[in-house]
Amino acid sequence: QETGTWGIGEIATLPLDTAKVRLQIQGGSAVGSTAPKYKGMIGTMATISKEEGFFALWKGLNAGLARQMINASLRIGLYDPIRNFYSGGKQNATLIEKILAGLTTGAIGISVANPTDVIKIRLQSEAKLPEGVPRRYNGVIDAFIKIYRQEGVRGMWTGAVPNIMRNAIINSAELATYDHTKHIILEKGILRDNIVCHFVVSAWAGFVATVVGLSLIHISEPTRLLSISYAVFCLKKKK
């Protein structure tokens, strides 16, 4: 269920992510006083849709869904057993033990999913090319094969270390907050264990994770930025 929810979120937000990637590439490849092709988030989405077709906004969707499936399954699915390991099997783990469990599963999840991040961004970065110029990648499988052949295993884990740091911290903030807040609410009888309780606790955990994520902006999107640097390099090379 959690993986499915994150998959729906990926589909809903991918157009914004694609626009963000294009704006970042444009910023990295801007030369002199050349007028920017993309202007703002909405303007960028409109330009992409006009030039490449509406569904171009969902470039890299397969890789994005694969990332969510792998990452969410591991970081959420392993949380309970790893929390129980840290707590020594105690019924009520401490907040520190929950935080450690969140850090561990977050690191595991994104470590395995990092190649899908790299592929997703490479696919998103390709704008409409001049006639006769071939695309670097024709889909997820082709991108995986070419990155592996050209850059080796190391290329699949571009930016992995800072990516792991950021995702581990955000995952810990989300899952530990959810787990601990729910425990307190049920223990004090504030709410029953029903859909209302889950909604309230999930909203609070999401808020905490968002605040923590924003505070980590200096190490955010490392894989994205390194992949975008590669895309800018390829763009200049074609010119």
Side-chain angles (χ1 to χ4, degrees), residues 40-232:
M41 193 65 73
I42 302 299
T44 300
M45 288 193 290
T47 301
I48 293 171
S49 183
K50 181 180 178 181
E51 292 187 349
E52 304 168 50
F54 180 69
F55 292 105
L57 292 168
W58 279 270
K59 281 186 176 180
L61 177 60
N62 289 341
L65 291 176
R67 177 192 186 280
Q68 294 298 350
M69 182 178 69
I70 296 168
N71 187 37
S73 296
L74 291 173
R75 72 182 186 84
I76 296 172
L78 293 175
Y79 176 76
D80 281 353
I82 289 181
R83 180 199 59 193
N84 294 337
F85 170 78
Y86 283 134
S87 67
K90 292 184 297 184
Q91 187 173 2
N92 296 322
T94 64
L95 178 58
I96 295 299
E97 290 162 348
K98 293 170 183 175
I99 290 172
L100 287 174
L103 288 170
T104 303
T105 62
I108 292 172
I110 199 61
S111 294
V112 177
N114 200 81
T116 59
D117 253 355
V118 174
I119 292 170
K120 174 186 169 185
I121 295 160
R122 296 285 180 90
L123 293 174
Q124 286 177 308
S125 68
E126 284 205 324
K128 184 178 180 180
L129 299 172
E131 191 173 343
V133 178
R135 290 193 172 279
R136 284 180 296 138
Y137 309 116
N138 296 308
V140 175
I141 302 301
D142 183 58
F144 181 89
I145 293 171
K146 286 180 178 176
I147 293 171
Y148 176 74
R149 285 177 177 173
Q150 296 169 6
E151 303 170 51
V153 174
R154 197 171 182 176
M156 303 303 297
W157 272 268
T158 302
V161 173
N163 213 14
I164 290 169
M165 290 170 58
R166 178 178 182 266
N167 281 274
I169 295 170
I170 293 174
N171 184 66
S172 181
E174 180 186 355
L175 297 188
T177 298
Y178 179 91
D179 192 6
H180 204 65
T181 303
K182 183 182 175 185
H183 172 73
I184 293 172
I185 286 176
L186 295 178
E187 186 179 53
K188 294 186 178 297
I190 298 172
L191 291 172
R192 294 181 180 180
D193 191 359
N194 54 30
I195 192 169
V196 175
C197 176
H198 288 284
F199 177 80
V200 170
V201 176
S202 295
W204 172 239
F207 173 76
V208 172
T210 300
V211 171
V212 171
L214 290 173
S215 69
L216 294 173
I217 196 68
H218 62 291
I219 59 170
S220 69
E221 299 181 314
T223 304
R224 178 187 304 277
L225 296 176
L226 285 168
S227 292
I228 285 172
S229 295
Y230 178 83
V232 170

Side-chain angles (χ1 to χ4, degrees), residues 15-29:
L16 295 171
D17 199 45
T18 300
K20 186 177 182 181
V21 168
R22 296 294 180 86
L23 286 168
Q24 288 175 318
I25 290 175
Q26 179 174 263
S29 61

